[in-house]
């Protein structure tokens, strides 16, 4: 038999729980057409967001900041308010503008 090193036990920082004991929730939003199953998430740890949820929350706040406040996003997705405030301060969804091609006849 080949030598196989013994894996070291996982270190748990004070105040954190191991993955098997994390409280999890079902995602509020999922991506329906994901042929490679990259974006499909079955459960999310509380205090975290899936990519789809993060983009949706950022977009909702951008278009309706009076409705989608940091407090509402924190409650909706089971997040801490300080984390949501940081998310809204440092991540801004960009706009994509499609410029229609010019008609060659008009040139």
């Amino acid at each position: 038999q080949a030598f196989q090193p013994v894996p070291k036990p996982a270190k748990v920082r004070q105040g954190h729980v191991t993955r098997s004991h994390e409280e999890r929730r079902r995602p509020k939003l999922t991506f329906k057409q994901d042929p490679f199953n990259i974006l499909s998430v079955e459960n999310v740890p509380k205090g975290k967001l899936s990519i789809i949820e993060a983009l949706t929350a950022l977009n909702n706040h951008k278009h309706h900041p009076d409705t989608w406040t940091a407090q509402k996003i924190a409650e909706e997705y089971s997040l801490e308010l300080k984390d949501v405030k940081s998310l809204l301060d440092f991540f801004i969804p960009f706009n994509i503008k499609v410029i229609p091609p010019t008609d060659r006849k008009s040139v």
Side-chain angles (χ1 to χ4, degrees):
Q1 291 182 352
F3 173 75
Q4 295 179 353
V6 177
K8 293 180 181 178
K11 292 182 181 179
V12 178
R13 291 184 290 175
Q14 187 175 359
H16 288 74
V17 293
T18 59
R19 279 191 178 267
S20 60
H21 296 95
E22 280 183 341
E23 192 174 347
R24 300 181 85 76
R25 63 174 178 79
R26 303 231 3 114
K28 303 239 179 235
L29 301 162
T30 56
F31 192 67
K32 301 290 183 211
Q33 303 200 354
D34 184 12
F36 300 108
N37 245 4
I38 295 171
L39 298 174
S40 62
V41 177
E42 293 180 10
N43 57 46
V44 179
K46 283 205 173 179
K48 305 217 177 187
L49 291 172
S50 70
I51 295 291
I52 303 297
E53 289 174 329
L55 292 174
T56 302
L58 287 168
N59 199 40
N60 286 344
H61 177 72
K62 179 180 179 181
H63 291 291
H64 309 286
D66 296 334
T67 305
W68 287 94
T69 62
Q71 181 68 35
K72 180 171 179 170
I73 293 171
E75 291 170 3
E76 185 76 18
Y77 295 103
S78 303
L79 301 170
E80 291 201 21
L81 185 58
K82 67 177 181 64
D83 295 336
V84 175
K85 287 181 179 178
S86 295
L87 180 74
L88 296 176
D89 285 342
F90 297 109
F91 294 94
I92 300 169
F94 54 88
N95 290 328
I96 297 177
K97 294 186 179 185
V98 177
I99 302 170
T102 58
D103 188 18
R104 289 185 177 234
K105 292 179 183 177
S106 66
V107 175

